[in-house]
Amino acid sequence: MIIQKNDHIIECMNHLAIQMTDSGYAILGNDWNCKRVCSPYSRLYLIYSGQGTIAYEKNNLLLLPQHIYLIPAGLTFDYACQGTMHQLYFHVTVQAADGIDLLTRLKDCLSCSASSRELDAALQCYKGKTLSDAFSLQQIVQHYITYFIMQSDLGTKAFESYSPFLHRLYTLVRQSIASKT
């Protein structure tokens, strides 16, 4: 018997934490309009119908139906909707063992197309009430975050490996900070 192990990748998986701080299915109108937004979390937008815009630096991004967008944490941008737009959104962080959100390393919004079937499956899971709906939705969100990480330069960077002592230290520091807020 030959067994090959990759302890490094298991360590990476065990120290990644994807957290959703907010989510919703929104029917947006002209009141979805804000300037100079800079969030401590990344935004994942699944667009069902209508159109909106994201503007940052010298980029103008048109939010189109049957597309998914990732707006990274720390990016300053404007958003607007002229007319009506339907979207499912998630506010997410992807923390490594050191507590740093990996997505803050992205400097641009990312997008990809999605089929109606994919978008409908996400919305059905989001509206669901079962454990399987929650796991399925988690898998969908992770799939798109993974896709965007692979699309960016983050996908080719090695995951930093820390000693067990440092993992424990990062955990203790985060717990101490959390207990004081």
Side-chain angles (χ1 to χ4, degrees), residues 1 22 92 103 146 152 155 170 180:
M1 175 185 330
D22 193 19
V92 298
L103 299 179
T146 302
S152 74
Y170 286 136
K180 292 178 182 179

Side-chain angles (χ1 to χ4, degrees), residues 34-41 43 72-79:
C34 195
K35 301 231 182 268
R36 305 225 17 98
V37 176
C38 184
S39 303
Y41 47 79
R43 297 166 183 244
L75 183 73
T76 300
F77 64 98
D78 303 339
Y79 62 77

Side-chain angles (χ1 to χ4, degrees), residues 15-95:
H15 290 96
L16 278 176
I18 297 176
Q19 297 288 320
M20 281 188 235
T21 57
D22 193 19
S23 65
Y25 182 78
I27 301 171
L28 307 166
N30 295 337
D31 56 341
W32 193 69
N33 186 337
C34 195
K35 301 231 182 268
R36 305 225 17 98
V37 176
C38 184
S39 303
Y41 47 79
S42 297
R43 297 166 183 244
L44 190 66
Y45 291 161
L46 288 73
I47 308 299
Y48 289 82
S49 65
Q51 292 183 356
T53 57
I54 299 290
Y56 62 100
E57 295 171 3
K58 295 182 181 180
N59 298 299
N60 285 314
L61 182 62
L62 186 60
L63 304 179
L64 298 171
Q66 293 189 322
H67 282 76
I68 299 175
Y69 299 89
L70 178 71
I71 304 164
L75 183 73
T76 300
F77 64 98
D78 303 339
Y79 62 77
C81 177
Q82 300 78 30
T84 303
M85 182 174 62
H86 293 231
Q87 72 169 229
L88 179 59
Y89 69 88
F90 300 95
H91 296 171
V92 298
T93 59
V94 181
Q95 288 187 343

